[in-house]
Amino acid sequence: MIFKDILRAVADLNERERLLLRRYLEPISEKHNVLTPDEKMQQLNAALDAMGDGLSQAQLHEMTAAMTEEYIEAWDESEWIQ
């Protein structure tokens, strides 16, 4: 059974069958999303720390400056063409 077949089969379910399917799938999806907001923030901070590994202080400063500079919209020539 390919994914499109599964989607068609789900579309053919009645309301009770969809409810049963939802009850079956919810515990599965909850297992993959069990991090608290604090745990998610810890993972994000760890990823950001890992990004800086091996970079000099000057490189880190350059990256920070580039991310905090004033944003300038790209030129959209179509705004001036009638």
Side-chain angles (χ1 to χ4, degrees):
M1 182 177 270
I2 60 172
F3 189 68
K4 288 180 183 180
D5 296 329
I6 295 171
L7 293 178
R8 276 189 231 115
V10 170
D12 291 339
L13 296 176
N14 64 40
E15 194 62 33
R16 182 176 179 283
E17 292 168 330
R18 285 185 185 167
L19 177 61
L20 291 171
L21 178 61
R22 187 174 294 118
R23 286 182 184 164
Y24 172 78
L25 292 174
E26 281 176 352
I28 295 169
S29 65
E30 288 173 1
K31 288 179 186 176
H32 297 286
N33 192 17
V34 294
L35 296 178
T36 67
D38 286 339
E39 291 169 330
K40 290 178 184 178
M41 186 55 81
Q42 289 172 354
Q43 283 190 351
L44 176 61
N45 286 333
L48 292 172
D49 288 343
M51 284 176 46
D53 287 349
L55 297 177
S56 68
Q57 190 60 40
Q59 290 170 315
L60 290 171
H61 179 71
E62 183 181 349
M63 285 174 48
T64 303
M67 290 187 288
T68 57
E69 285 180 350
E70 180 182 350
Y71 176 75
I72 301 173
E73 288 285 333
W75 172 261
D76 185 1
E77 189 173 325
S78 66
E79 292 179 355
W80 301 97
I81 299 175
Q82 294 184 12

